[in-house]
Amino acid sequence: MIHAVLIFNTSGVPRLTKFYSPVQHSVQTLIQKIFSLVYTRPASLCNFLDAPELDQFLSVSDQEERWRVVYRNYATLYFVFVVDGAESELGILDLIQVLVESLDRAFENVCELDLVFHFDEVHHILAEIIQGGLVLETNVDEIDDSVQLAAKLRRESYASANPLSLSGGLASRGSNLQTPLGWLTGKLTGVGAR
């Protein structure tokens, strides 16, 4: 099971935090501990490590079970997954690649500012990939299609609920395309009242 997905910048500032298991102590302390494990690790070592230091933060059901931190560094961002022994480390590295490719498709060359200003869309993309700590989808095309469809439906919902939007619900109800100023003028003067 995947217990946490974290994205840090190189200064240790978390840009995305998603926990799928309850945290026993302070979340901030746990995040700092994970970052210190990953950041101080030499680049010549592999991208996953056992982390018995995290046992005190996350509830461990079995004493034999150990948490593993699987991470990947892309430019100025660290993508970190905290998993248990049931997950394949190479599979999680592949999943990190799927997440990065999905973010790249959504934001066209994703950067740290995209994660900051579009955090809701980043969480949506993550939810398309992982739900409740289990992997749902790994096909980047399917993930991108779902994200594009949700964005389209969100725009349509906004347009139909907002009478001042240029492509608002007035035109979609069969009347002629009307500008926001024309709509407002009509409402104020009573023209076109029903």
Side-chain angles (χ1 to χ4, degrees):
M1 179 177 167
I2 298 169
H3 296 282
V5 177
L6 308 164
I7 301 176
F8 302 108
N9 65 10
T10 53
S11 300
V13 178
R15 295 304 182 192
L16 174 116
T17 57
K18 180 70 174 173
F19 289 93
Y20 299 103
S21 295
V23 177
Q24 301 298 331
H25 298 289
S26 166
V27 172
Q28 290 296 344
T29 308
L30 174 62
I31 289 171
Q32 290 171 352
K33 184 69 175 167
I34 292 172
F35 178 74
S36 68
L37 287 172
V38 170
Y39 188 71
T40 59
R41 202 162 156 87
S44 61
L45 296 178
C46 68
N47 288 356
F48 47 90
L49 62 130
D50 286 328
E53 301 94 345
L54 302 181
D55 287 348
Q56 63 182 337
F57 294 100
L58 299 167
S59 59
V60 178
S61 58
D62 183 11
Q63 294 301 330
E64 300 291 320
E65 186 176 340
R66 288 284 178 225
W67 301 109
R68 289 201 170 102
V69 175
V70 182
Y71 68 96
R72 192 100 187 248
N73 182 16
Y74 290 96
T76 62
L77 295 172
Y78 284 93
F79 291 78
V80 181
F81 281 54
V82 178
V83 299
D84 58 23
E87 296 292 335
S88 163
E89 292 87 359
L90 295 176
I92 296 298
L93 283 174
D94 231 8
L95 193 61
I96 292 173
Q97 182 65 33
V98 167
L99 175 61
V100 170
E101 285 181 25
S102 298
L103 291 172
D104 270 341
R105 284 198 184 180
F107 300 115
E108 297 178 14
N109 200 8
V110 68
C111 68
E112 187 176 349
L113 290 177
D114 292 323
L115 301 179
V116 172
F117 292 119
H118 302 287
F119 64 90
D120 54 339
E121 194 166 344
V122 174
H123 277 278
H124 179 195
I125 292 168
L126 183 62
E128 289 291 331
I129 300 171
I130 302 169
Q131 282 285 319
L134 301 174
V135 178
L136 289 181
E137 186 65 63
T138 58
N139 185 338
V140 177
D141 293 328
E142 290 290 327
I143 296 165
D144 188 45
D145 290 345
S146 296
V147 170
Q148 294 299 326
L149 177 63
K152 178 183 173 214
L153 294 174
R154 212 171 22 251
R155 283 190 303 271
E156 288 175 2
S157 173
Y158 172 76
S160 66
N162 183 2
L164 296 179
S165 71
L166 288 174
S167 62
L170 295 174
S172 61
R173 293 189 186 115
S175 64
N176 294 334
L177 183 63
Q178 191 174 19
T179 65
L181 183 59
W183 177 84
L184 184 59
T185 304
K187 288 292 182 186
L188 292 176
T189 61
V191 176
R194 297 180 193 190

